[in-house]
Amino acid sequence: MLRVLLILLCVLLGLVVLLGVLLLALLCMRAGVELVGVSGEVTLDAIYGPLRIPLWPRPRHLKRKEKKKQAEPEKKTEEAPPKGKFSLAKSGLPFGKIADVALDFLGDLTGSLRISKLRVRLIIATGDAAKTGILFGQTAALCGILVPFLENTFDLRDIHVRADPDFDKEKTEWAAELVCSIRPVTLIKIAFRHRKPLLELYNIFKK
C-alpha cells in the first residue's frame, strides 16, 4: 500500500513539474498584441504564434450574460457613465505626469519590446476655442517628448503620430493602431513593478 502511494506521489510531482516547465516555456515565448481604436471604440487582440485571441470587446458569451443580467428587474439608481470607452479630458491633460510614467515604463522595456507599427491620429476639439488650444498644446508637447524617445529607443519601421486642432467640433476624435510583441514573463515583471503609476494613468484616460 505504501509503495502504491509513493508511486502515485511521484507521478503527481512529475506532472506538476512538467506543467511548471510548460508554463515557463509558454511565458518565455514571444507574444504580440494588436490594438486598433477609433474615437473610444477599441479592439484588442492577443497574438501567440498562429493563435489570435480577442481580448476586447468581450467574447459573445460574456456579452449574453451581461444582457441577461441587465434584463432582470433592478432598483433604480443614478445612471453611471458608460464604461469601456476612453477619451481625452476636455479640461486638459497632466502631460508631464503622463510623460514621466510612459517614459519610465518604456525605458524598462528597452531590448525586450518590439514595436512593428504605431499610428496615431488626433483631432483635438472641446467646443471651446480656448480649451481646445490649451489641450492641443499639451498634446503636442506630449507627442514631442514620446515620439523621439520611441524612435531612438525601439526599432520602429512604421510610425506616424499627428495631432491637429479643430475649433468647430464639440468632441475630440482619434484613431490609433499598435502592433507590438514581448515575452509575457518580462512584461508581467515590469508591469508589476510599475503597477501603481500605470493604474493612475489608466484612470486619467478612462471615463
Side-chain angles (χ1 to χ4, degrees):
M1 183 68 180
L2 181 60
R3 184 178 179 182
V4 174
L5 290 176
L6 289 174
I7 293 174
L8 291 175
L9 182 60
C10 290
V11 171
L12 181 60
L13 289 174
L15 290 174
V16 170
V17 171
L18 179 60
L19 290 174
V21 172
L22 288 175
L23 179 61
L24 183 61
L26 290 174
L27 289 175
C28 290
M29 290 176 62
R30 187 168 289 275
V33 171
E34 182 176 338
L35 182 146
V36 178
V38 179
S39 295
E41 299 296 333
V42 176
T43 300
L44 180 64
D45 292 342
I47 303 171
Y48 197 82
L51 299 178
R52 178 180 288 270
I53 306 169
L55 301 178
W56 187 268
R58 293 185 176 184
R60 292 180 179 178
H61 68 281
L62 294 179
K63 289 184 177 180
R64 285 197 294 267
K65 289 182 180 179
E66 289 181 356
K67 290 181 179 180
K68 184 178 180 181
K69 186 177 180 180
Q70 291 174 357
E72 295 176 356
E74 296 180 355
K75 294 181 179 180
K76 291 185 178 180
T77 56
E78 293 184 2
E79 292 185 0
K83 297 181 179 180
K85 291 190 176 183
F86 299 83
S87 67
L88 296 177
K90 288 187 176 182
S91 59
L93 289 170
F95 69 96
K97 180 179 180 61
I98 295 173
D100 288 341
V101 173
L103 291 175
D104 190 31
F105 181 72
L106 290 172
D108 274 0
L109 292 177
T110 303
S112 301
L113 179 66
R114 292 179 186 171
I115 304 177
S116 305
K117 180 183 293 186
L118 176 61
R119 291 179 170 268
V120 180
R121 183 74 171 93
L122 288 169
I123 304 294
I124 307 296
T126 64
D128 182 279
K131 290 182 179 179
T132 298
I134 293 172
L135 183 56
F136 171 67
Q138 293 177 338
T139 305
L142 180 61
C143 292
I145 295 172
L146 290 178
V147 173
F149 172 81
L150 292 173
E151 289 177 330
N152 294 329
T153 306
F154 301 100
D155 183 16
L156 268 170
R157 298 181 180 179
D158 187 357
I159 179 172
H160 179 78
V161 179
R162 181 175 175 179
D164 293 301
D166 191 318
F167 298 99
D168 297 323
K169 291 184 178 180
E170 297 290 330
K171 188 177 180 181
T172 295
E173 297 179 357
W174 60 272
E177 184 177 4
L178 171 67
V179 180
C180 60
S181 63
I182 192 174
R183 289 183 175 83
V185 65
T186 304
L187 180 61
I188 291 171
K189 290 190 296 184
I190 296 174
F192 182 78
R193 189 159 58 241
H194 295 268
R195 61 190 182 280
K196 290 184 179 180
L198 287 175
L199 182 59
E200 292 177 3
L201 193 63
Y202 171 83
N203 290 328
I204 287 173
F205 287 98
K206 192 172 188 301
K207 285 185 176 182

